[in-house]
Amino acid sequence: MTPVVSTRELNDGHRLPVLGLGTYGLNGDAGTAAVGDAIRSGYRLLDTALNYGNEDAVGRAVRASDVPRSEFVVTSKLPGRHHGWDEAHRSVEESLANLGLESIDLYLIHWPNPSVGKFVDTWRALVDLRDSGVVRSIGVSNFTEEHLTQIIDATGVAPAVNQIELHPFFPQEAMRAVHERLGIVTESWSPLAKRSELLQEAPIRSAAAAHGVEPVQVVLRWHVQLGAVPVPKSGDAGRQRENLDVFGFTLTDDEMSAISGLERGRLWDGDPDTHEEM
Ligand SMILES: NC(=O)c1ccc[n+]([C@@H]2O[C@H](COP(=O)([O-])OP(=O)(O)OC[C@H]3O[C@@H](n4cnc5c(N)ncnc54)[C@H](OP(=O)(O)O)[C@@H]3O)[C@@H](O)[C@H]2O)c1
């Protein structure tokens, strides 16, 4: 039997797998095949976005799979150019058509784009889409504490999830504490720091040796023990399985601290207060 990743409860009562698949760059038939491999390995949380241009590839893999639809948490994201009440209602229809699915399980505002000044209206639209059953759970991505405060004050609804850049070079301690206080689950994007030189770092290599696992597994285990949900991307079936196989060992407190001590900042200039993505 394929091991399926365990789940945790969101603030709306629905459940989220504790580890998922990033799909940026998995496009076309090769993308569908790669996502299909991941589903067969046990991935149920699939992270796509309108702007990745691969909702069709992800949707095809879900529809072709014999896994019940109800087991999946298909996530997509609303782009900056579609902020606003009407625009958001149209955008979700575009994503649903691309996916070829009846509903989206987790729908996020991709970036706050504060200079556009519409993320609060956009959040109101997502609350409406959730209440009318078009999407199941709603959340945001790349929101700061200030952005979160604004949308919660305006609607009384806290996002189920905030997906933020998070990896050992950028552990996001302050945002994780904000999420904890507000009942929001942290998802980690670029959880492997896009692989980079992260896997060569001494605290990661020594923990890997101590537990007889691969450095990449130490990094993903670190996310899980922080209580953050990583969505590592791999197009390779073997590496997908490796990334999922992180539930048979536990990092010590010292190992966790040493890995968090690798902090040096964002991978690139993706500060949500200034970075705009349309
Ligand atoms: N919300 C946002 O603004 C935002 C921004 C960025 C990313 N994301 C999401 O987060 C996901 C993950 O981030 P990411 O794709 O930037 O980077 P990532 O997951 O940190 O790293 C992906 C890279 O690591 C490699 N890799 C994966 N597993 C490996 C393993 N076991 N051993 C060695 N190398 C491995 C992959 O290569 P192979 O494919 O060849 O294995 C790929 O080059 C994205 O796909 C996307 O869904 C969201």
Side-chain angles (χ1 to χ4, degrees):
M1 268 255 311
T2 307
V4 170
V5 179
S6 64
T7 59
R8 56 189 288 185
E9 192 171 0
L10 297 170
N11 62 16
D12 61 8
H14 293 295
R15 301 197 68 85
L16 186 75
V18 299
L19 189 153
L21 181 76
T23 70
Y24 181 73
L26 301 179
N27 293 58
D29 290 344
T32 300
V35 175
D37 287 338
I39 293 169
R40 280 185 290 281
S41 296
Y43 288 84
R44 297 293 179 264
L45 168 60
L46 306 173
D47 185 74
T48 180
L50 186 69
N51 271 354
Y52 299 170
N54 69 352
E55 290 174 311
D56 57 340
V58 172
R60 270 198 307 276
V62 169
R63 296 196 314 274
S65 150
D66 51 16
V67 172
R69 175 71 185 87
S70 58
E71 281 191 22
F72 287 101
V73 179
V74 176
T75 305
S76 196
K77 312 190 194 80
L78 175 121
R81 66 183 177 285
H82 292 168
H83 278 205
W85 175 272
D86 292 338
E87 295 88 338
H89 284 81
R90 280 196 293 272
S91 194
V92 76
E93 291 303 327
E94 187 177 337
S95 285
L96 285 167
N98 290 338
L99 288 160
L101 299 175
E102 294 292 310
S103 77
I104 294 173
D105 309 308
L106 176 61
Y107 194 50
L108 312 180
I109 302 177
H110 205 150
W111 284 87
N113 290 311
S115 77
V116 175
K118 289 191 187 172
F119 65 79
V120 173
D121 272 353
T122 310
W123 182 246
R124 283 199 186 92
L126 261 63
V127 173
D128 181 60
L129 290 166
R130 182 197 66 179
D131 291 348
S132 54
V134 179
V135 302
R136 189 172 71 193
S137 294
I138 52 175
V140 294
S141 179
N142 301 300
F143 273 44
T144 65
E145 181 177 13
E146 170 59 25
H147 305 143
L148 292 171
T149 304
Q150 285 190 42
I151 61 173
I152 295 168
D153 285 354
T155 62
V157 179
V161 160
N162 187 14
Q163 185 183 107
I164 56 176
E165 178 179 353
L166 201 166
H167 41 72
F169 291 146
F170 195 48
Q172 293 262 29
E173 189 177 350
M175 279 309 294
R176 285 188 285 108
V178 168
H179 293 164
E180 179 78 26
R181 178 166 56 79
L182 297 173
I184 297 169
V185 170
T186 305
E187 279 192 348
S188 311
W189 64 252
S190 295
L192 307 176
K194 295 189 184 289
R195 186 168 43 183
S196 58
E197 65 274 41
L198 176 66
L199 303 181
Q200 306 305 324
E201 295 287 346
I204 292 170
R205 296 200 80 82
S206 63
H211 294 279
V213 298
E214 294 299 320
V216 72
Q217 295 172 313
V218 167
V219 175
L220 293 169
R221 181 71 205 178
W222 172 85
H223 286 272
V224 170
Q225 285 184 223
L226 285 183
V229 174
V231 288
K233 174 263 171 184
S234 180
D236 175 80
R239 290 193 286 280
Q240 291 168 352
R241 282 196 296 276
E242 183 172 70
N243 295 349
L244 212 51
D245 186 14
V246 299
F247 300 100
F249 66 102
T250 303
L251 298 171
T252 65
D253 290 347
D254 286 349
E255 288 166 338
M256 288 292 292
S257 310
I259 296 166
S260 299
L262 293 169
E263 173 157 23
R264 63 186 198 200
R266 299 179 194 282
L267 287 178
W268 46 277
D269 187 20
D271 181 345
D273 275 324
T274 48
H275 176 75
E276 304 284 316
E277 259 187 38
M278 295 302 155

